[in-house]
Amino acid sequence: MIRIKAGVPRSGWPRTNSRPRRRAHALALPTAWGAVAVGYKFGCPLAEQNGLGARIVTSAVFFAVGTGLILHVRRALLRELRQARKVAGVAQSVLLRPLPPRLAGLHVAAAQLSADRGASIGGDLYEAVATEHGVRVVMGDVRGHGLAAVGTVAAVLGSFREAAHDEPELGRVVGRLDRALARHLRERARAEHPACGGQDPDSPVAEEFVTLLLLEIAGDGELRAINCGHPWPYLLSGARVEPLSPADPLPPLGPFPLPADLAATPCGHLLPDESLVLYTDGAEDARDTRGRFFSLRDALAEAVRNGPAVPQTILRTVFTALLHHTDGRPTDDIALLVLHDDRTHQRAPLGARGTGRATPVHPQSTTCLHRPLP
């Protein structure tokens, strides 16, 4: 058995510590500029004179020294910023990895906007995977926003990526996610309150929860879902925009135990050329400068006004309207995921979308837009 000791590379040569060398290199230029300033002050006769010309030269020398030091610090900070952005990009690609543009016959597109300026990840989570049970999609929202919720997002997504393939029933998938969240919160509580030996009821960790929507799309377009306190997605059919289901959601994960007999809700079928738009509540809770809420339904209706649109077009239309509505400053994390079905499976009979969406006797116009209330 070959053991590799810390600090010794596989080649067998000892690893040289480059930190002192980098530190010395970083201090070399400021030291040189300081030596120039001190040498001029004490070694140049011109610096001892009080004439106008001598003062101008002295000022010019010290201005050059100061400018050089500022430029050096600026370059160092920019280098650190580029490194931090690179690390953040790698973290985002692992945590919220880019979804494939096509998944088991479905066109997929997703985007996320963090409320923390400069942050590329936040408290929203989403994932879509193709399994032997169908395409399974999760959309969730951790209490709070920004970088503080990243650990919870990682715990839930990591559990979903395994359970989605292992568990045949959606209820068991949600159970796995609930246990993973509880385990993460216990570990976080112990880390934040080591003297308590457990979860502190007065801690913010004890009040943390996750809203979650788990969706399954079978090969024939059949839809089943489990909703734990999350907004229902919108179904885009032609120019019509409507919620996928009118059923009341379950409580969010975290504060309350899940029902023992957790079963998925049938939601009908996703027909060819129809789209599903999953989102977090930051989209509909976004306000403008006058306190008016953003109408996501209106934005989606605008995106499909001229017929079915590809997911990228829907995302671009909605996010453009969102940024315009909030003047480019959203106060909560926002995530959208669009699934468009262009498969050629057999169409379901009319009115078979679920118990809550029967075929209307007198169809209403589907082209009117709902304006936000003043």
Side-chain angles (χ1 to χ4, degrees):
M1 180 182 295
I2 300 177
R3 296 187 178 182
I4 302 175
K5 297 182 179 180
V8 179
R10 296 188 180 185
S11 61
W13 293 97
R15 181 182 299 169
T16 59
N17 191 354
S18 59
R19 184 176 298 176
R21 183 181 303 173
R22 292 197 303 267
R23 187 174 300 172
H25 183 268
L27 294 176
L29 187 57
T31 302
W33 282 110
V36 170
V38 172
Y40 174 80
K41 180 65 178 177
F42 295 100
C44 183
L46 188 60
E48 304 297 331
Q49 299 180 12
N50 294 325
L52 178 61
R55 292 182 179 181
I56 292 176
V57 173
T58 301
S59 299
V61 170
F62 281 95
F63 177 78
V65 171
T67 302
L69 290 175
I70 292 174
L71 291 177
H72 174 75
V73 172
R74 182 177 180 272
R75 283 195 297 269
L77 292 177
L78 288 177
R79 187 164 54 248
E80 293 292 334
L81 179 60
R82 285 193 295 267
Q83 181 66 18
R85 287 180 174 176
K86 182 178 179 181
V87 172
V90 173
Q92 182 185 24
S93 65
V94 174
L95 185 58
L96 285 180
R97 56 193 182 191
L99 299 179
R102 192 170 179 83
L103 196 64
L106 301 174
H107 281 287
V108 184
Q112 193 259 359
L113 181 63
S114 177
D116 285 351
R117 186 176 181 85
S120 55
I121 51 180
D124 292 343
L125 60 97
Y126 57 81
E127 180 64 287
V129 293
T131 72
E132 60 180 320
H133 316 292
V135 175
R136 287 180 168 177
V137 186
V138 66
M139 172 70 77
D141 188 359
V142 177
R143 176 183 180 269
H145 61 267
L147 299 179
V150 172
T152 306
V153 171
V156 175
L157 279 182
S159 178
F160 170 77
R161 286 164 180 162
E162 292 187 1
H165 293 277
D166 297 341
E167 303 294 347
E169 298 296 331
L170 286 183
R172 298 179 63 178
V173 175
V174 175
R176 291 266 296 265
L177 301 187
D178 187 55
R179 292 192 295 272
L181 174 63
R183 184 168 54 251
H184 166 74
L185 294 183
R186 286 195 302 268
E187 294 173 354
R188 180 172 156 190
R190 283 194 292 265
E192 294 181 357
H193 305 277
C196 296
Q199 187 168 345
D200 184 358
D202 298 328
S203 168
V205 177
E207 302 173 358
E208 189 159 348
F209 60 86
V210 178
T211 67
L212 199 74
L213 175 70
L214 188 61
L215 187 69
E216 181 180 278
I217 308 173
D220 61 352
E222 181 184 5
L223 293 170
R224 298 193 308 146
I226 295 180
N227 191 340
C228 297
H230 201 80
W232 282 104
Y234 280 109
L235 174 72
L236 311 184
S237 180
R240 185 172 69 250
V241 179
E242 59 182 8
L244 178 63
S245 172
D248 294 330
L250 298 170
L253 299 186
F256 308 101
L258 292 173
D261 54 344
L262 188 60
T265 301
C267 299
H269 287 72
L270 181 66
L271 305 182
D273 285 333
E274 292 185 339
S275 298
L276 282 174
V277 179
L278 288 73
Y279 63 96
T280 55
D281 58 4
E284 291 193 324
D285 291 345
R287 302 194 185 202
D288 61 8
T289 55
R290 298 171 58 184
R292 296 177 299 181
F293 288 103
F294 177 73
S295 178
L296 178 60
R297 190 168 185 169
D298 286 358
L300 293 174
E302 178 66 22
V304 296
R305 181 178 56 181
N306 297 322
V310 297
Q312 291 81 2
T313 301
I314 296 173
L315 287 180
R316 183 166 55 250
T317 302
V318 172
F319 273 103
T320 300
L322 262 170
L323 292 175
H324 177 74
H325 183 81
T326 60
D327 198 20
R329 295 187 296 270
T331 58
D332 196 4
D333 298 331
I334 300 171
L336 272 78
L337 190 153
V338 184
L339 302 163
H340 179 76
D341 190 354
D342 63 351
R343 297 177 293 189
T344 57
H345 54 70
Q346 184 177 0
R347 300 180 67 93
L350 294 177
R353 295 188 179 282
T355 57
R357 288 188 284 146
T359 304
V361 178
H362 301 287
Q364 302 296 319
S365 173
T366 59
T367 58
C368 61
L369 301 181
H370 299 270
R371 300 297 179 186
L373 296 176

